Short mmCIF file of all heavy atoms in Angstrom, two decimals:
data_model
loop_
_atom_site.label_atom_id
_atom_site.label_comp_id
_atom_site.label_asym_id
_atom_site.label_seq_id
_atom_site.Cartn_x
_atom_site.Cartn_y
_atom_site.Cartn_z
N MET Q 18 -13.41 49.76 -58.48
CA MET Q 18 -14.14 50.29 -59.64
C MET Q 18 -15.44 49.56 -59.78
O MET Q 18 -15.66 48.52 -59.24
CB MET Q 18 -13.32 50.18 -60.91
CG MET Q 18 -12.90 48.76 -61.26
SD MET Q 18 -14.12 47.91 -62.30
CE MET Q 18 -14.18 48.88 -63.77
N ARG Q 19 -16.34 50.12 -60.59
CA ARG Q 19 -17.63 49.50 -60.87
C ARG Q 19 -17.65 49.06 -62.31
O ARG Q 19 -17.40 49.86 -63.20
CB ARG Q 19 -18.79 50.49 -60.62
CG ARG Q 19 -18.98 50.81 -59.13
CD ARG Q 19 -19.61 49.62 -58.43
NE ARG Q 19 -19.88 49.96 -57.07
CZ ARG Q 19 -19.07 49.71 -56.06
NH1 ARG Q 19 -17.92 49.16 -56.29
NH2 ARG Q 19 -19.34 50.02 -54.81
N MET Q 20 -17.89 47.76 -62.54
CA MET Q 20 -17.97 47.29 -63.91
C MET Q 20 -19.18 47.76 -64.60
O MET Q 20 -20.24 48.04 -63.97
CB MET Q 20 -17.95 45.74 -63.89
CG MET Q 20 -16.75 45.13 -63.22
SD MET Q 20 -15.26 45.34 -64.14
CE MET Q 20 -15.53 44.20 -65.47
N LEU Q 21 -19.13 47.90 -65.94
CA LEU Q 21 -20.30 48.33 -66.71
C LEU Q 21 -21.34 47.24 -66.61
O LEU Q 21 -21.03 46.04 -66.54
CB LEU Q 21 -19.89 48.53 -68.17
CG LEU Q 21 -18.96 49.69 -68.44
CD1 LEU Q 21 -18.58 49.71 -69.89
CD2 LEU Q 21 -19.59 51.01 -68.04
N ASP Q 81 -12.47 50.14 -52.56
CA ASP Q 81 -12.80 50.98 -53.71
C ASP Q 81 -13.70 52.12 -53.34
O ASP Q 81 -13.41 53.28 -53.56
CB ASP Q 81 -13.43 50.05 -54.76
CG ASP Q 81 -13.76 50.74 -56.06
OD1 ASP Q 81 -13.85 51.98 -56.05
OD2 ASP Q 81 -13.88 50.09 -57.09
N ASP Q 112 -14.51 57.79 -54.70
CA ASP Q 112 -14.15 56.58 -55.45
C ASP Q 112 -12.64 56.38 -55.36
O ASP Q 112 -11.88 56.73 -56.26
CB ASP Q 112 -14.61 56.69 -56.90
CG ASP Q 112 -14.55 55.36 -57.68
OD1 ASP Q 112 -14.04 54.41 -57.04
OD2 ASP Q 112 -14.94 55.33 -58.84
N GLU Q 114 -9.20 54.73 -55.58
CA GLU Q 114 -8.72 53.71 -56.53
C GLU Q 114 -7.25 53.31 -56.39
O GLU Q 114 -6.87 52.28 -56.93
CB GLU Q 114 -8.92 54.18 -57.96
CG GLU Q 114 -10.41 54.31 -58.35
CD GLU Q 114 -11.09 52.94 -58.55
OE1 GLU Q 114 -10.39 51.92 -58.46
OE2 GLU Q 114 -12.29 52.92 -58.78
N ASP Q 128 -8.24 59.43 -54.70
CA ASP Q 128 -9.70 59.40 -54.85
C ASP Q 128 -10.01 59.92 -56.26
O ASP Q 128 -10.49 61.03 -56.47
CB ASP Q 128 -10.35 60.32 -53.79
CG ASP Q 128 -11.86 60.10 -53.68
OD1 ASP Q 128 -12.43 59.39 -54.51
OD2 ASP Q 128 -12.46 60.67 -52.74
N ILE Q 129 -9.66 59.07 -57.28
CA ILE Q 129 -9.56 59.53 -58.66
C ILE Q 129 -10.50 58.81 -59.59
O ILE Q 129 -10.47 59.07 -60.80
CB ILE Q 129 -8.12 59.38 -59.16
CG1 ILE Q 129 -7.61 57.95 -58.97
CG2 ILE Q 129 -7.18 60.35 -58.39
CD1 ILE Q 129 -6.23 57.66 -59.51
N GLY Q 130 -11.32 57.91 -59.11
CA GLY Q 130 -12.25 57.19 -59.97
C GLY Q 130 -13.40 58.04 -60.44
O GLY Q 130 -13.83 58.97 -59.76
N ASP Q 131 -13.89 57.74 -61.64
CA ASP Q 131 -15.05 58.41 -62.20
C ASP Q 131 -15.71 57.44 -63.17
O ASP Q 131 -15.38 57.41 -64.36
CB ASP Q 131 -14.63 59.72 -62.92
CG ASP Q 131 -15.84 60.53 -63.41
OD1 ASP Q 131 -16.93 59.97 -63.47
OD2 ASP Q 131 -15.65 61.70 -63.76
N ASN Q 132 -16.62 56.63 -62.64
CA ASN Q 132 -17.16 55.58 -63.45
C ASN Q 132 -18.00 56.06 -64.63
O ASN Q 132 -18.28 55.27 -65.54
CB ASN Q 132 -18.03 54.65 -62.55
CG ASN Q 132 -17.16 53.86 -61.58
OD1 ASN Q 132 -16.11 53.34 -61.97
ND2 ASN Q 132 -17.60 53.74 -60.36
N LEU Q 133 -18.42 57.31 -64.61
CA LEU Q 133 -19.19 57.86 -65.77
C LEU Q 133 -18.24 58.61 -66.67
O LEU Q 133 -18.71 59.32 -67.60
CB LEU Q 133 -20.32 58.73 -65.24
CG LEU Q 133 -21.40 57.97 -64.42
CD1 LEU Q 133 -22.48 58.93 -63.97
CD2 LEU Q 133 -21.99 56.82 -65.24
N ASN Q 134 -16.95 58.52 -66.43
CA ASN Q 134 -15.91 58.98 -67.35
C ASN Q 134 -16.06 60.45 -67.72
O ASN Q 134 -16.10 60.79 -68.91
CB ASN Q 134 -15.88 58.10 -68.59
CG ASN Q 134 -14.50 58.07 -69.22
OD1 ASN Q 134 -13.51 58.28 -68.56
ND2 ASN Q 134 -14.45 57.81 -70.52
N GLY Q 135 -16.10 61.31 -66.76
CA GLY Q 135 -16.15 62.74 -67.07
C GLY Q 135 -17.25 63.47 -66.37
O GLY Q 135 -17.57 64.59 -66.71
N THR Q 136 -17.84 62.83 -65.35
CA THR Q 136 -18.96 63.48 -64.60
C THR Q 136 -18.40 64.52 -63.65
O THR Q 136 -19.02 65.59 -63.45
CB THR Q 136 -19.74 62.43 -63.82
OG1 THR Q 136 -20.24 61.47 -64.72
CG2 THR Q 136 -20.87 63.06 -63.03
N TRP Q 137 -17.22 64.29 -63.06
CA TRP Q 137 -16.68 65.15 -62.04
C TRP Q 137 -15.55 66.00 -62.59
O TRP Q 137 -14.61 65.45 -63.19
CB TRP Q 137 -16.22 64.35 -60.84
CG TRP Q 137 -17.30 63.51 -60.23
CD1 TRP Q 137 -18.59 63.91 -59.97
CD2 TRP Q 137 -17.24 62.13 -59.88
NE1 TRP Q 137 -19.33 62.91 -59.43
CE2 TRP Q 137 -18.51 61.77 -59.36
CE3 TRP Q 137 -16.26 61.20 -59.88
CZ2 TRP Q 137 -18.85 60.50 -58.91
CZ3 TRP Q 137 -16.55 59.89 -59.42
CH2 TRP Q 137 -17.81 59.57 -58.95
N VAL Q 140 -11.00 65.76 -58.95
CA VAL Q 140 -10.85 64.61 -58.05
C VAL Q 140 -9.88 65.02 -56.92
O VAL Q 140 -9.43 66.17 -56.84
CB VAL Q 140 -10.29 63.38 -58.83
CG1 VAL Q 140 -11.32 62.86 -59.81
CG2 VAL Q 140 -8.99 63.72 -59.54
N TYR Q 165 -7.51 67.75 -64.59
CA TYR Q 165 -6.69 67.43 -65.73
C TYR Q 165 -6.76 68.58 -66.72
O TYR Q 165 -7.80 69.17 -66.95
CB TYR Q 165 -7.20 66.14 -66.39
CG TYR Q 165 -7.22 64.97 -65.46
CD1 TYR Q 165 -8.43 64.57 -64.86
CD2 TYR Q 165 -6.09 64.25 -65.16
CE1 TYR Q 165 -8.47 63.46 -63.98
CE2 TYR Q 165 -6.11 63.17 -64.28
CZ TYR Q 165 -7.32 62.82 -63.70
OH TYR Q 165 -7.33 61.75 -62.83
N GLY Q 168 -9.38 68.08 -69.47
CA GLY Q 168 -10.78 67.72 -69.12
C GLY Q 168 -10.92 66.50 -68.28
O GLY Q 168 -9.97 65.70 -68.12
N PRO Q 169 -12.10 66.29 -67.67
CA PRO Q 169 -12.32 65.20 -66.72
C PRO Q 169 -12.17 63.84 -67.40
O PRO Q 169 -12.37 63.68 -68.61
CB PRO Q 169 -13.76 65.40 -66.30
CG PRO Q 169 -14.10 66.85 -66.60
CD PRO Q 169 -13.28 67.16 -67.79
N ARG Q 170 -11.80 62.84 -66.59
CA ARG Q 170 -11.66 61.46 -67.09
C ARG Q 170 -11.64 60.48 -65.92
O ARG Q 170 -11.41 60.91 -64.75
CB ARG Q 170 -10.42 61.31 -67.95
CG ARG Q 170 -9.09 61.66 -67.29
CD ARG Q 170 -8.11 62.11 -68.34
NE ARG Q 170 -8.60 63.28 -69.06
CZ ARG Q 170 -8.92 63.23 -70.38
NH1 ARG Q 170 -8.79 62.10 -71.05
NH2 ARG Q 170 -9.37 64.30 -70.96
N ASN Q 171 -11.83 59.27 -66.25
CA ASN Q 171 -11.77 58.19 -65.23
C ASN Q 171 -10.31 57.76 -65.06
O ASN Q 171 -9.52 57.70 -66.01
CB ASN Q 171 -12.63 57.00 -65.68
CG ASN Q 171 -12.77 55.95 -64.61
OD1 ASN Q 171 -12.66 56.24 -63.42
ND2 ASN Q 171 -12.99 54.72 -65.02
N ALA Q 172 -9.92 57.40 -63.81
CA ALA Q 172 -8.57 56.95 -63.57
C ALA Q 172 -8.55 56.00 -62.39
O ALA Q 172 -9.40 56.12 -61.48
CB ALA Q 172 -7.61 58.08 -63.32
N GLU Q 173 -7.65 55.05 -62.40
CA GLU Q 173 -7.52 54.09 -61.31
C GLU Q 173 -6.07 53.90 -60.83
O GLU Q 173 -5.83 53.11 -59.93
CB GLU Q 173 -8.11 52.74 -61.71
CG GLU Q 173 -9.61 52.77 -61.94
CD GLU Q 173 -10.20 51.39 -62.12
OE1 GLU Q 173 -9.52 50.39 -61.85
OE2 GLU Q 173 -11.37 51.30 -62.54
N ALA Q 174 -5.13 54.58 -61.48
CA ALA Q 174 -3.74 54.37 -61.16
C ALA Q 174 -3.09 55.67 -60.72
O ALA Q 174 -3.19 56.71 -61.42
CB ALA Q 174 -2.98 53.80 -62.38
N ILE Q 186 -0.73 60.21 -62.52
CA ILE Q 186 -1.99 59.54 -62.62
C ILE Q 186 -2.15 58.97 -64.02
O ILE Q 186 -1.84 59.64 -65.00
CB ILE Q 186 -3.20 60.45 -62.28
CG1 ILE Q 186 -3.15 60.92 -60.83
CG2 ILE Q 186 -4.53 59.74 -62.56
CD1 ILE Q 186 -4.19 61.98 -60.48
N ALA Q 187 -2.57 57.72 -64.14
CA ALA Q 187 -2.83 57.11 -65.45
C ALA Q 187 -4.35 56.95 -65.61
O ALA Q 187 -4.98 56.33 -64.79
CB ALA Q 187 -2.14 55.76 -65.60
N SER Q 188 -4.89 57.54 -66.66
CA SER Q 188 -6.32 57.44 -66.92
C SER Q 188 -6.68 56.10 -67.53
O SER Q 188 -5.81 55.39 -68.08
CB SER Q 188 -6.79 58.59 -67.83
OG SER Q 188 -6.27 58.43 -69.14
N LYS Q 189 -7.94 55.75 -67.45
CA LYS Q 189 -8.42 54.45 -67.93
C LYS Q 189 -9.38 54.71 -69.08
O LYS Q 189 -10.44 55.28 -68.90
CB LYS Q 189 -9.13 53.73 -66.78
CG LYS Q 189 -9.73 52.36 -67.12
CD LYS Q 189 -10.41 51.79 -65.91
CE LYS Q 189 -11.08 50.46 -66.21
NZ LYS Q 189 -11.82 49.95 -65.05
N ASP Q 190 -8.96 54.24 -70.27
CA ASP Q 190 -9.75 54.51 -71.47
C ASP Q 190 -9.67 53.32 -72.41
O ASP Q 190 -8.57 52.75 -72.58
CB ASP Q 190 -9.30 55.78 -72.18
CG ASP Q 190 -10.24 56.18 -73.27
OD1 ASP Q 190 -10.05 55.72 -74.39
OD2 ASP Q 190 -11.11 57.01 -73.02
N GLU Q 191 -10.76 52.92 -73.03
CA GLU Q 191 -10.77 51.76 -73.91
C GLU Q 191 -9.88 51.94 -75.11
O GLU Q 191 -9.21 51.01 -75.56
CB GLU Q 191 -12.20 51.47 -74.40
CG GLU Q 191 -13.12 50.94 -73.32
CD GLU Q 191 -14.46 50.58 -73.88
OE1 GLU Q 191 -14.54 50.17 -75.05
OE2 GLU Q 191 -15.47 50.73 -73.15
N LYS Q 193 -7.38 54.80 -75.76
CA LYS Q 193 -5.99 55.21 -75.44
C LYS Q 193 -6.00 56.06 -74.20
O LYS Q 193 -6.50 57.20 -74.16
CB LYS Q 193 -5.37 56.03 -76.58
CG LYS Q 193 -3.95 56.36 -76.38
CD LYS Q 193 -3.36 57.08 -77.61
CE LYS Q 193 -3.23 56.09 -78.77
NZ LYS Q 193 -2.57 56.77 -79.94
N GLY Q 194 -5.49 55.51 -73.09
CA GLY Q 194 -5.39 56.26 -71.85
C GLY Q 194 -4.22 57.23 -71.89
O GLY Q 194 -3.42 57.25 -72.83
N GLY Q 195 -4.10 58.00 -70.84
CA GLY Q 195 -2.99 58.98 -70.75
C GLY Q 195 -2.30 58.90 -69.41
O GLY Q 195 -2.90 58.59 -68.39
N TYR Q 197 -0.55 61.26 -66.73
CA TYR Q 197 -0.63 62.66 -66.37
C TYR Q 197 0.37 62.99 -65.25
O TYR Q 197 0.47 62.25 -64.28
CB TYR Q 197 -2.07 63.03 -65.92
CG TYR Q 197 -3.03 63.02 -67.07
CD1 TYR Q 197 -3.60 61.81 -67.51
CD2 TYR Q 197 -3.37 64.20 -67.72
CE1 TYR Q 197 -4.47 61.78 -68.58
CE2 TYR Q 197 -4.25 64.18 -68.79
CZ TYR Q 197 -4.80 62.97 -69.22
OH TYR Q 197 -5.66 62.96 -70.30
N TRP Q 221 -5.05 50.62 -71.52
CA TRP Q 221 -6.08 50.51 -70.46
C TRP Q 221 -5.41 50.09 -69.16
O TRP Q 221 -4.83 49.04 -69.08
CB TRP Q 221 -7.12 49.52 -70.88
CG TRP Q 221 -8.21 49.23 -69.89
CD1 TRP Q 221 -8.12 48.65 -68.69
CD2 TRP Q 221 -9.62 49.55 -70.06
NE1 TRP Q 221 -9.33 48.55 -68.10
CE2 TRP Q 221 -10.29 49.09 -68.89
CE3 TRP Q 221 -10.34 50.13 -71.08
CZ2 TRP Q 221 -11.66 49.24 -68.74
CZ3 TRP Q 221 -11.72 50.28 -70.89
CH2 TRP Q 221 -12.35 49.85 -69.73
N VAL Q 222 -5.46 50.95 -68.15
CA VAL Q 222 -4.69 50.76 -66.96
C VAL Q 222 -5.61 50.74 -65.73
O VAL Q 222 -6.46 51.63 -65.56
CB VAL Q 222 -3.62 51.86 -66.80
CG1 VAL Q 222 -2.94 51.77 -65.45
CG2 VAL Q 222 -2.58 51.76 -67.91
N THR Q 223 -5.38 49.77 -64.82
CA THR Q 223 -6.12 49.73 -63.55
C THR Q 223 -5.22 50.05 -62.37
O THR Q 223 -5.72 50.34 -61.30
CB THR Q 223 -6.78 48.38 -63.31
OG1 THR Q 223 -5.77 47.33 -63.32
CG2 THR Q 223 -7.84 48.11 -64.39
N TYR Q 239 -6.66 44.69 -67.00
CA TYR Q 239 -7.34 43.42 -66.79
C TYR Q 239 -6.64 42.26 -67.48
O TYR Q 239 -6.59 41.16 -67.02
CB TYR Q 239 -8.80 43.49 -67.27
CG TYR Q 239 -9.65 44.47 -66.48
CD1 TYR Q 239 -10.41 45.44 -67.09
CD2 TYR Q 239 -9.68 44.41 -65.09
CE1 TYR Q 239 -11.16 46.34 -66.37
CE2 TYR Q 239 -10.42 45.28 -64.34
CZ TYR Q 239 -11.17 46.26 -64.98
OH TYR Q 239 -11.93 47.13 -64.27
#
Side-chain angles (χ1 to χ4, degrees):
M18 59 89 62
R19 290 286 184 268
M20 300 291 286
L21 293 175
D81 183 338
D112 192 356
E114 292 287 357
D128 193 352
I129 55 177
D131 185 346
N132 291 318
L133 297 180
N134 207 26
T136 302
W137 301 317
V140 292
Y165 303 99
R170 58 207 58 248
N171 187 27
E173 294 189 12
I186 295 173
S188 68
K189 179 180 176 183
D190 189 274
E191 288 184 33
K193 186 177 289 184
Y197 290 82
W221 178 292
V222 172
T223 58
Y239 294 128

